[in-house]
Amino acid sequence: MSLRYLALGDSYTIGEGVPAEGRWPHQLAAALRREGIDLEDPQTIAATGWTTDELDAAIDASAPPGPFDFASLLVGVNNQYRGRGVDDYAAQFAALVGRAIAFAGDRPGRVLVLSIPDWGVTPFAAASGRDVAAIARELDAYNDAARRICAARAVAFVDICATSRERGAEPRMLADDGLHPSATLYAEWTRLALPVARRLLQPPRTTP
């Protein structure tokens, strides 16, 4: 029987500006299938512009039937974009991690969280007049909070922020809007997430 996958997030999960197969959760599922792990394409609850509380409300409205065998979460950039404080984000993010664990059959070891990428390196940010150094500092604070929450709940955390900073300004790494990732950058995220997801989904080894 195929493994069920729930992907929760915002524009970075729904893949603004790319086809469904180019989104990182879909690329991850396809990569795992190539390795013999029969993971379905994800059921996705995500939309461009959503904050943590808006994602939480959307989960209530969607009421996805669980349990799932795997869940991923990537959210928070819009909290930062709207100027919300890190403490507010941390409280709401912690609740979403708890919901993801519940959807994964109360198994923290079946939940994968990705860090928030740094949109401050993009042409969109450069043209916006925003302080890109401040964006970086704020996102570092958000990601540090998320990392601590995941560690406390024994949830896997994958840092894709460094890659977004290194390569996120390259034209081929961007969608047409100059802000959101292209499928090529999502492939880089998938490369980082794949060994962690593989470990979470492989059955435990038995000893003689």
Side-chain angles (χ1 to χ4, degrees), residues 136-193:
R137 288 193 302 271
E138 290 165 7
L139 288 174
D140 282 345
Y142 272 51
N143 283 327
D144 285 347
R147 191 191 310 270
R148 289 193 299 271
I149 291 163
C150 289
R153 301 296 297 272
V155 166
F157 182 88
V158 175
D159 181 9
I160 54 86
C161 190
T163 295
S164 78
R165 285 174 173 156
E166 291 168 5
R167 310 203 61 189
E170 297 176 21
R172 72 189 189 98
M173 296 292 176
L174 292 163
D176 291 341
D177 61 8
L179 170 62
H180 292 97
S182 68
T184 305
L185 185 53
Y186 283 137
E188 290 297 305
W189 298 6
T190 299
R191 178 181 60 82
L192 295 171

Side-chain angles (χ1 to χ4, degrees), residues 67-81:
F68 292 83
D69 300 287
F70 185 59
S72 65
L73 176 64
L74 195 178
V75 67
V77 69
N78 296 296
N79 294 61
Q80 183 276 329
Y81 185 83

Side-chain angles (χ1 to χ4, degrees), residues 15-192:
E16 177 71 22
V18 303
E21 64 270 18
R23 304 167 183 169
W24 75 264
H26 282 70
Q27 291 195 46
L28 181 61
L32 288 164
R33 287 196 295 271
R34 288 192 294 270
E35 296 192 356
I37 297 174
D38 190 14
L39 183 67
E40 295 177 354
D41 283 337
Q43 179 175 338
T44 302
I45 303 176
T48 298
W50 277 356
T51 54
T52 45
D53 54 320
E54 290 166 341
L55 173 59
D56 191 60
I59 294 170
D60 287 341
S62 298
F68 292 83
D69 300 287
F70 185 59
S72 65
L73 176 64
L74 195 178
V75 67
V77 69
N78 296 296
N79 294 61
Q80 183 276 329
Y81 185 83
R82 298 188 200 179
R84 297 185 181 180
V86 67
D87 291 342
D88 178 70
Y89 165 73
Q92 295 178 5
F93 179 80
L96 287 169
V97 169
R99 298 196 76 173
I101 292 170
F103 279 122
D106 293 321
R107 294 172 293 178
R110 288 297 183 90
V111 177
L112 176 70
V113 170
L114 264 61
S115 67
I116 306 166
D118 189 346
W119 66 277
V121 304
T122 66
F124 177 93
S128 72
R130 298 274 290 261
D131 183 341
V132 296
I135 292 170
R137 288 193 302 271
E138 290 165 7
L139 288 174
D140 282 345
Y142 272 51
N143 283 327
D144 285 347
R147 191 191 310 270
R148 289 193 299 271
I149 291 163
C150 289
R153 301 296 297 272
V155 166
F157 182 88
V158 175
D159 181 9
I160 54 86
C161 190
T163 295
S164 78
R165 285 174 173 156
E166 291 168 5
R167 310 203 61 189
E170 297 176 21
R172 72 189 189 98
M173 296 292 176
L174 292 163
D176 291 341
D177 61 8
L179 170 62
H180 292 97
S182 68
T184 305
L185 185 53
Y186 283 137
E188 290 297 305
W189 298 6
T190 299
R191 178 181 60 82
L192 295 171

